[in-house]
Amino acid sequence: MKERLLFTLVLIIGIYMIVPWIATRIFAIGVFRKGKLSSQVALTFDDGPDPAYTPVLLDLLRRHGAKATFFVLGSKAERYPDLIERIHRDGHQIGIHNYSHKSNWFMSPWTVRRKQADRSADIVASITGTKPVVYRPPWGVLNVFDLFLLKSYTVVLWSVMPKDWRSRVGRTKLKSRLLSRIREGSVVLLHDSGDTFGADADAPGYMLNALDEVLASMKQRGLEPVRVDELLNSSLKHRLGLFKRVLVNAWMAWERCFVKLFHLKLVDIGNPLVKLRVREYQGRQSIVLPDGEQIRKGDLVAEMHLDNYTLFRLGIDSRSSVQLATQLIRRTRMLMPEISKLLLTDPQYQHVKGLYGITMIHRGSKQLGFTVFDLPNGWFARMTRTYLRLLLYVVHPNGKERLKEKTNLLEPKIVAISKNELKIRYIA
């Protein structure tokens, strides 16, 4: 009898707590946690508003021209209506984070809906005139009934969580985490208050210092900080078909395996377009560069690989292959000084003769100092052509149509630049 009661209790707990956790946190069922096909990023801030930190944060966002979403506690909205009014006036989105910072696991579903979510939404609406439509549960946990009773809200979780509620993380580590994890479409979880259970009171100060530098870096990477509703609308507009989604996911999985298998090194965490590896040049014909440098079979080169995930994201906003090439040239130009520094100072690249790659997107590379060569005819050229065309089909949302546009311009070429030319152009 006791065993049966224990089993029943465990089953009820599992259905009430664990099932929705698996559904939302692992499979993203019924929640929004990451944008699709967008160069936008949603910065979100929980647990406020806070009279010490929220005004500073709002000043920071205004200085960078950034928009964000604030998931506020209803109890704090009651205490600080002026802050709620300013968040709204500054053009940010206001969402709900319950009336008090309590877990939905330990409340009845009707309490969550009426006394936490709806009560908080009514408070915000009375201040701003606009009722919130997005909701984030404390600690990101829902009970099973929330999936049905909170249908009037879009439940928003996150894809980047740098754990900024801990002071020991500090500004430097927090900045590094954000720069390495933020990608196009990310939903970033941050906190503008440190007075909730488990948080350090001074932690938001470190977050603000790190965020100032992160926002500057995001601008350089072409990432736009937006509200959650803007990211959500952009994601719906660019939604892919099932076959393309499966193909893209499979290709990105192959990309991750390739990077690990061949030990590719990222040049810049903040601009993850280019990865490098040292290898022997295997071409049948020597490459003779304008400055007299020759790369023969067996010579070491730094082989350049473009990150397929970044290509995919850039392709989303490109109206044509020409525009995509323009964006690639711009981003590569930003990386060239760092690439040059690696080849000239890092012992790993001590014996390489230059930078080398094979690409179909080679227009404009000459302005960066590269020399463009035809790929010698043969089986390797045919395989490379097939591979790169398949890559373009995958990474561009309209890849099939792009392959029909001026196919003579989609021939793979060798691009190369000597180490000495890199030094003259980007170091000296």
Side-chain angles (χ1 to χ4, degrees):
M1 187 68 177
K2 290 182 179 180
E3 290 80 3
R4 184 177 296 177
L5 287 173
L6 181 61
F7 174 79
T8 303
L9 180 60
V10 171
L11 182 62
I12 292 173
I13 292 174
I15 294 174
Y16 194 73
M17 299 179 179
I18 307 304
V19 168
W21 189 91
I22 293 173
T24 58
R25 300 290 285 273
I26 298 178
F27 297 105
I29 297 174
V31 300
F32 178 70
R33 66 181 187 189
K34 189 177 182 181
K36 303 289 185 184
L37 316 180
S38 172
S39 60
Q40 300 171 327
V41 171
L43 298 176
T44 66
F45 300 91
D46 289 6
D47 300 352
D50 185 280
Y53 294 113
T54 303
V56 180
L57 173 58
L58 290 170
D59 290 341
L60 175 64
L61 293 173
R62 178 181 290 179
R63 190 160 64 248
H64 287 275
K67 297 301 179 185
T69 298
F70 290 77
F71 289 97
V72 304
L73 294 170
S75 57
K76 290 188 175 181
E78 278 184 323
R79 281 190 304 229
Y80 309 113
D82 291 346
L83 286 177
I84 296 294
E85 188 176 1
R86 182 183 169 187
I87 293 171
H88 178 72
R89 187 173 62 249
D90 283 3
H92 304 293
Q93 185 179 19
I94 300 177
I96 298 304
H97 198 48
N98 280 356
Y99 181 80
S100 56
H101 203 276
K102 296 179 180 178
S103 172
N104 292 17
W105 280 356
F106 305 113
M107 294 184 287
S108 73
W110 297 274
T111 297
V112 172
R113 172 63 191 267
R114 296 171 184 170
K115 295 185 179 181
Q116 296 291 331
D118 287 352
R119 180 183 181 187
S120 300
D122 290 341
I123 292 170
V124 172
S126 69
I127 299 169
T128 66
T130 302
K131 191 167 185 176
V133 294
V134 290
Y135 171 79
R136 175 177 288 160
W139 295 289
V141 296
L142 299 164
N143 64 61
V144 70
F145 293 99
D146 291 338
L147 297 174
F148 307 99
L149 294 179
L150 295 174
K151 283 293 187 180
S152 58
Y153 302 95
T154 298
V155 179
V156 179
L157 297 185
W158 56 83
S159 61
V160 176
M161 181 177 67
K163 299 181 180 179
D164 66 315
W165 60 85
R166 290 294 190 189
S167 298
R168 64 171 177 264
V169 173
R171 180 191 66 82
T172 302
K173 186 180 291 187
L174 182 58
K175 174 188 171 184
S176 177
R177 287 179 180 178
L178 288 169
L179 289 178
S180 63
R181 298 176 189 178
I182 290 178
R183 290 179 174 269
E184 293 89 343
S186 292
V187 177
V188 185
L189 169 63
L190 296 168
H191 300 79
D192 59 329
S193 179
D195 62 359
T196 53
F197 178 76
D200 295 326
D202 60 342
Y206 296 99
M207 180 276 293
L208 290 168
N209 289 331
L211 184 62
D212 192 14
E213 298 179 65
V214 169
L215 283 169
S217 177
M218 286 174 59
K219 186 175 182 179
Q220 291 181 339
R221 291 167 60 185
L223 298 177
E224 180 187 7
V226 299
R227 298 159 39 131
V228 163
D229 55 351
E230 293 176 293
L231 182 61
L232 181 59
N233 290 336
S234 177
S235 300
L236 292 174
K237 183 174 66 175
H238 291 103
R239 179 171 290 174
L240 294 178
L242 177 61
F243 174 75
K244 191 63 177 285
R245 291 203 308 271
V246 171
L247 186 60
V248 168
N249 288 333
W251 196 279
M252 296 309 165
W254 155 246
E255 164 92 355
R256 291 190 291 271
C257 292
F258 184 87
V259 168
K260 290 183 179 180
L261 184 63
F262 292 99
H263 307 289
L264 270 63
K265 181 177 181 180
L266 189 66
V267 174
D268 183 0
I269 292 177
N271 183 2
L273 174 63
V274 175
K275 296 182 176 71
L276 301 177
R277 68 162 173 156
V278 176
R279 63 164 299 182
E280 291 184 358
Y281 173 65
Q282 296 297 322
R284 290 179 300 170
Q285 299 179 6
S286 297
I287 297 175
V288 182
L289 295 168
D291 61 358
E293 181 67 88
Q294 293 189 45
I295 301 176
R296 302 179 179 88
K297 185 175 182 178
D299 287 341
L300 291 180
V301 292
E303 188 175 64
M304 184 167 55
H305 292 265
L306 299 181
D307 179 66
N308 288 339
Y309 183 87
T310 304
L311 280 175
F312 178 60
R313 292 300 186 181
L314 289 175
I316 298 305
D317 298 320
S318 300
R319 294 185 297 273
S320 67
S321 298
V322 173
Q323 189 182 34
L324 175 59
T326 301
Q327 292 188 66
L328 288 174
I329 291 296
R330 180 178 63 83
R331 287 212 177 190
T332 305
R333 181 183 288 112
M334 294 169 60
L335 287 170
M336 291 303 290
E338 187 63 29
I339 294 174
S340 304
K341 182 180 177 182
L342 277 174
L343 266 62
L344 292 165
T345 63
D346 192 320
Q348 181 182 356
Y349 302 94
Q350 180 179 356
H351 300 293
V352 304
K353 286 195 169 183
L355 186 64
Y356 161 92
I358 300 176
T359 179
M360 284 194 305
I361 312 173
H362 45 76
R363 281 169 290 175
S365 58
K366 290 182 180 180
Q367 61 186 276
L368 301 179
F370 288 95
T371 303
V372 181
F373 302 89
D374 291 330
L375 202 60
N377 291 326
W379 67 269
F380 179 75
R382 290 192 294 272
M383 287 182 59
T384 301
R385 186 180 298 110
T386 300
Y387 174 82
L388 291 178
R389 287 183 177 229
L390 177 60
L391 173 62
L392 182 62
Y393 172 77
V394 172
V395 301
H396 201 292
N398 298 315
K400 186 176 181 180
E401 290 73 22
R402 296 295 174 250
L403 287 174
K404 297 176 182 178
E405 297 177 355
K406 300 180 181 179
T407 55
N408 61 308
L409 299 178
L410 297 178
E411 285 296 314
K413 302 280 187 179
I414 296 172
V415 295
I417 182 172
S418 70
K419 185 185 289 188
N420 187 58
E421 184 67 22
L422 285 169
K423 180 179 179 180
I424 292 172
R425 282 179 173 265
Y426 299 105
I427 300 298

